[in-house]
Amino acid sequence: MNRSTYRTAILILGLFTALVHLILLNVLLVGAGYGISVPFILNGLGYFVFLWVFFRRPSFLIGRRTLLHLAFMGYTAVTIVAWFLMGDLSDPIGIITKLAEVLLIVVLYLNLRAGARA
């Protein structure tokens, strides 16, 4: 795969994960009578921030490509670990989202490697 394909995959997987945390999970919680979840909202917003920074490349991150990739991968890994510690491991939405997040980490790593070779 080329870097353009990696970037497209990062965008799709990141948006999917952000929207699940920000909207879908909160809609399901409200529908079940629990109310909104601030941690889910913050997690979803965090993914949007990482995507914005990844694709906009603000000037303060020039020359820090590796740092950005590692931070995005770390943020995603923390989300996965938090789900294992606090989530419902039998929830199909959670399982699908965690698979998307694992793929996001893999694609971020591959994109980082592809950029190092270029």
Side-chain angles (χ1 to χ4, degrees):
M1 289 197 307
N2 61 33
R3 290 181 65 201
S4 175
T5 305
Y6 292 141
R7 291 175 59 80
T8 301
I10 290 166
L11 180 63
I12 291 168
L13 292 166
L15 283 174
F16 171 77
T17 302
L19 291 171
V20 166
H21 285 94
L22 188 62
I23 298 172
L24 178 62
L25 294 175
N26 280 297
V27 167
L28 293 174
L29 286 172
V30 168
Y34 293 107
I36 63 170
S37 168
V38 173
F40 283 150
I41 290 172
L42 293 175
N43 189 260
L45 291 175
Y47 276 105
F48 279 122
V49 168
F50 269 109
L51 287 169
W52 181 84
V53 169
F54 188 85
F55 287 99
R56 286 284 300 178
R57 298 210 174 141
S59 60
F60 68 89
L61 283 176
I62 292 175
R64 294 183 174 94
R65 184 176 178 280
T66 301
L67 177 63
L68 174 58
H69 279 75
L70 293 176
F72 200 171
M73 290 174 3
Y75 183 83
T76 305
V78 167
T79 301
I80 294 168
V81 170
W83 180 71
F84 275 108
L85 295 176
M86 299 182 289
D88 178 4
L89 302 181
S90 65
D91 176 36
I93 294 172
I95 294 168
I96 291 167
T97 306
K98 295 315 132 196
L99 290 173
E101 290 168 352
V102 168
L103 286 173
L104 178 59
I105 291 172
V106 169
V107 174
L108 282 163
Y109 173 75
L110 293 173
N111 186 60
L112 180 62
R113 260 188 45 195
R117 285 185 268 144

